[in-house]
Amino acid sequence: MDTRTAPQALRIERVRDALRAQGAHAALVPSADPHLSEYLPERWQGRQWLSGFTGSAGTLVVTLERAAVFADSRYWSQAEHELAGTGIELVKVNTGAASHYIDWILAQLVAGQTLAVDGQVLGLALAQQLRAALAPAGLKLRSDLDVVQAAWDERPALPAAPVYEHLPPEAAVSRADKLAQVRAAMATRGASHHFISTVDDVAWLLNLRGADVDYNPVFMAHLLLDAQSATLFVGAGKVDAALSERLAADGVKLASYEQAAAALAALPAEAHLLLDPKRVTLGLREAAPASVSIIEAINPSTLAKSRKTAEEAAFVRQAMEQDGAAMCEFYARFEAALARGERLSELTVDEWLTAARAQRPGFKGLSFPTIAGFNANGAMPHYRATPESYAQIEGNGLLLIDSGAQFLGGTTDITRVWPIGQVSEAQKRDYTLVLKGMINLSRAVFPRGTLSPMLDALARVPLWQHGLDYGHGTGHGVGYFINVHEGPQSISKAVPDANMAMEPGMITSNEPGLYRPGQWGVRIENLILNVAHETPENGQFGEMLAFETLTLCPIDTRCITRGLLNAEEVDWLNRYHAEVRRRLAPLLSGAALDWLTQRTEALV
């Protein structure tokens, strides 16, 4: 590809033209929308459109001379391939070093120059960090210039999918009760008003769902609460008349999406406004009058929705049974086809697995793009096969499948690795060490309130002992028929804060991995639920929690090096497989039931 005529190069030049026209010297383009979402509507996929890098996380910085994408280790191989020939550099950063690009910007600019960023998609906390770094260097931050808009003539419009209601019995807590819960937290903070931008918080709080992005059943909206009423800022026509009436009965009125900033600007001078600096943008923060007192704290809804009720947990268990049964049907079909010598590819995995899930009651769609990576492709944690680029599944090696679904009663996310043909001793060793880490974390007992990053090492120790590690976090929070990734908990190397405390009802992934670029990858993932744990001390040393494993699907024992597992690990695996068989067998028949029975045989 000629870097002078590559589409990305031409688009970057249009960004530079916009910078020159405005007297600015660099532009920051984060992977973000006005709600700081992970999955972005097409309109806000500016970083991807400008650079060609399609990873779900990453940051683009453009100066008048250079352009660079900053991505963590999950995306290095992918980014190298997608940026080749564009003239855009890849700067590799360690997972969690989200603001590494700030140092790069400081090295490119000189005192008196200006960095431009669209304040409507810049998080308030990040804006504060940027200003603190730029000011000592004599650099200016300008937040009123949207270079993406300047460069993208045919920028897509706002999504227009309708909003619908998440209904009982799966919606186990009423909208009125959730609003009362959040208002009680507001009162505790001394807040008269509370503004919520994160779309999963809005959807959870109002028991509403949508389809404005793929995979997460959410919709673009903001919400402004006071002690008695609430205003939902949402696109025209997205909420029908009947739903509007039901919302009004709970004190929720509708306003146009574009009026959110004006509503903030109209707050009374004596208002005390609760904002979450990690979950609201600079542009919306600056809309509030200077006289308004700002209370910076985590959204109460973020904490509340992370703790699933007993009723919700029961529905999640049912969703896991349906999801596990679908996977058994898929794997039985897939292995039989391989045995017959059929030509199968990574695309086949996505197609067949999605079809199996779609037959299950309560299925609403996938929770993220299916990752099916054979051998070297499995070494890229966020790889996705496309019709233009995929591998045939043939010969010998490891097939990694990371997939999940949205059900009315829960969200699933599971990774398994399966042997294809003959598996080498080196591959078995890697697989077994990852499995040991997953089991080690699964068996953890810890005090309630433990900061979740403190648990990360439990999954890594078996790998560390062999000089091995992986570049991504071990576990992310999982929503309830909502975003597959949610906070505040994170089992990772993240710097912990008080909001990451582990509480009963939280659902988190447990997914250690090991990746050998160009060869193979291993990741084994279950979802786990925080539950109370009785101890012989009867709580004398505080309330203890443990994990209930929610995910139900066999873990392939053909890839295990038996001598690397101790008796406790074998016992855990056998008990897990006995539970998988007990709960999935009633949902299966024929070849799928036979497959389940074979794959859950005890390891001796």
Side-chain angles (χ1 to χ4, degrees):
M1 184 185 293
D2 187 338
T3 58
R4 295 167 299 178
T5 58
Q8 290 76 25
L10 297 175
R11 293 166 184 173
I12 294 297
E13 280 306 313
R14 296 197 67 179
V15 169
R16 291 182 174 129
D17 290 342
L19 291 174
R20 294 186 188 100
Q22 295 290 330
H25 306 86
L28 172 65
V29 184
S31 299
D33 65 8
H35 310 273
L36 305 181
S37 307
E38 176 186 12
Y39 288 89
L40 306 176
E42 190 177 359
R43 176 175 178 79
W44 286 292
Q45 292 178 8
R47 184 266 298 160
Q48 177 177 322
W49 183 81
L50 286 169
S51 70
F53 168 56
T54 62
S56 59
T59 301
L60 171 67
V61 180
V62 179
T63 72
L64 298 179
E65 293 83 26
R66 300 172 69 182
V69 163
F70 296 77
D72 66 50
S73 63
R74 296 171 295 171
Y75 304 100
W76 289 348
S77 296
Q78 174 184 349
E80 286 174 346
H81 172 72
E82 292 178 339
L83 295 176
T86 65
I88 301 171
E89 308 165 35
L90 169 63
V91 180
K92 297 179 179 180
V93 300
N94 292 322
T95 301
S99 58
H100 183 87
Y101 52 82
I102 295 178
D103 293 335
W104 192 88
I105 292 169
L106 292 174
Q108 306 305 311
L109 302 184
V110 298
Q113 292 188 325
T114 298
L115 171 68
V117 61
D118 179 10
Q120 302 306 313
V121 299
L122 180 67
L124 176 57
L126 178 54
Q128 294 166 343
Q129 187 178 1
L130 267 174
R131 283 172 168 162
L134 296 178
L139 301 175
K140 304 171 187 175
L141 179 66
R142 181 173 170 184
S143 60
D144 64 341
L145 176 57
D146 182 359
V147 297
V148 175
Q149 184 67 28
W152 199 350
D153 289 336
E154 298 180 358
R155 190 172 185 178
L158 289 168
V163 174
Y164 60 95
E165 203 163 7
H166 189 210
L167 296 168
E170 289 87 0
V173 183
S174 72
R175 179 163 46 239
D177 286 347
K178 289 180 177 179
L179 286 166
Q181 184 178 358
V182 169
R183 287 189 170 111
M186 289 169 55
T188 300
R189 292 279 187 180
S192 61
H193 295 77
H194 176 33
F195 187 78
I196 306 173
S197 272
T198 34
V199 291
D200 54 332
D201 283 290
V202 173
W204 175 87
L205 182 56
L206 299 182
N207 280 350
L208 300 177
R209 299 294 187 268
D212 282 354
V213 296
D214 294 332
Y215 310 111
N216 292 337
V218 295
F219 57 98
M220 302 295 104
H222 304 282
L223 185 68
L224 180 60
L225 288 172
D226 61 27
Q228 288 83 33
S229 65
T231 303
L232 177 66
F233 302 93
V234 64
K238 292 174 70 68
V239 178
D240 65 29
L243 179 52
S244 177
E245 289 182 7
R246 292 194 294 276
L247 288 168
D250 287 321
V252 181
K253 62 183 178 181
L254 303 182
S256 73
Y257 180 79
E258 294 78 12
Q259 288 179 340
L264 286 171
L267 286 174
E270 68 277 10
H272 296 268
L273 177 63
L274 173 60
L275 291 177
D276 186 337
K278 293 184 178 180
R279 295 172 176 86
V280 72
T281 64
L282 172 67
L284 287 166
R285 161 63 183 91
E286 291 183 336
S291 60
V292 168
S293 173
I294 301 297
I295 302 167
E296 292 192 0
I298 191 171
N299 287 337
S301 52
T302 300
L303 292 171
K305 72 179 169 59
S306 72
R307 298 187 58 182
K308 282 61 180 176
T309 66
E311 293 81 6
E312 289 170 338
F315 282 113
V316 171
R317 294 185 189 100
Q318 294 177 21
M320 293 292 175
E321 291 171 355
Q322 296 298 334
D323 200 58
M327 288 186 289
C328 289
E329 291 171 341
F330 158 74
Y331 288 126
R333 177 187 180 188
F334 190 81
E335 288 193 357
L338 280 179
R340 291 192 300 268
E342 294 185 23
R343 189 168 173 80
L344 305 177
S345 75
E346 295 165 339
L347 296 177
T348 312
V349 173
D350 192 355
E351 177 188 349
W352 288 7
L353 185 50
T354 300
R357 283 189 162 112
Q359 299 303 311
R360 288 286 156 180
F363 175 82
K364 296 294 288 183
L366 301 185
S367 56
F368 58 94
T370 297
I371 298 169
F374 183 51
N375 281 344
N377 290 340
M380 294 182 280
H382 279 224
Y383 167 81
R384 186 184 185 189
T386 67
E388 296 74 33
S389 178
Y390 63 90
Q392 296 292 333
I393 300 172
E394 56 191 4
N396 301 317
L398 298 176
L399 172 62
L400 184 153
I401 304 176
D402 187 350
S403 64
Q406 296 285 4
F407 292 87
L408 287 172
T411 302
T412 72
D413 183 359
I414 173 176
T415 308
R416 293 290 185 266
V417 174
W418 304 94
I420 304 297
Q422 298 298 313
V423 180
S424 71
E425 291 304 313
Q427 289 170 331
K428 289 182 178 180
R429 173 178 172 271
D430 285 356
Y431 180 96
T432 308
L433 293 175
V434 171
L435 176 60
K436 286 172 70 71
M438 194 275 287
I439 293 174
N440 204 37
L441 181 56
S442 302
R443 298 175 60 239
V445 176
F446 49 94
R448 177 177 179 176
T450 295
L451 300 183
S452 52
M454 295 175 64
L455 302 174
D456 182 72
L458 296 176
R460 297 181 190 267
V461 164
L463 292 162
W464 286 348
Q465 289 172 338
H466 292 262
L468 305 168
D469 201 4
Y470 50 95
H472 56 74
T474 299
H476 56 82
V478 179
Y480 179 70
F481 180 42
I482 206 162
N483 290 8
V484 72
H485 296 152
E486 73 169 24
Q489 78 274 26
S490 171
I491 302 177
S492 67
K493 295 180 180 179
V495 177
D497 64 51
N499 295 316
M500 294 180 177
M502 293 294 262
E503 295 291 341
M506 287 180 167
I507 296 176
T508 314
S509 68
N510 173 5
E511 50 180 312
L514 181 59
Y515 310 96
R516 297 190 182 275
Q519 299 181 70
W520 63 78
V522 176
R523 185 166 65 254
I524 303 173
E525 176 186 18
N526 285 336
L527 299 189
I528 48 182
L529 172 70
N530 291 2
V531 296
H533 181 75
E534 298 299 325
T535 69
E537 300 292 340
N538 296 317
Q540 182 177 347
F541 291 87
E543 183 179 348
M544 305 299 285
L545 300 178
F547 292 125
E548 173 191 338
T549 296
L550 295 170
T551 304
L552 299 170
C553 183
I555 297 169
D556 200 291
T557 58
R558 295 170 294 177
C559 297
I560 290 174
T561 299
R562 176 63 180 82
L564 288 175
L565 294 182
N566 61 38
E568 291 180 334
E569 292 163 343
V570 171
D571 177 65
W572 182 94
L573 185 60
N574 287 339
R575 285 188 290 107
Y576 174 71
H577 277 153
E579 179 72 358
V580 170
R581 182 187 294 189
R582 181 185 73 82
R583 291 173 60 187
L584 297 189
L587 303 176
L588 298 170
S589 61
L593 179 58
D594 293 341
W595 183 90
L596 170 70
T597 302
Q598 181 181 7
R599 292 286 169 257
T600 53
E601 288 293 332
L603 186 66
V604 297

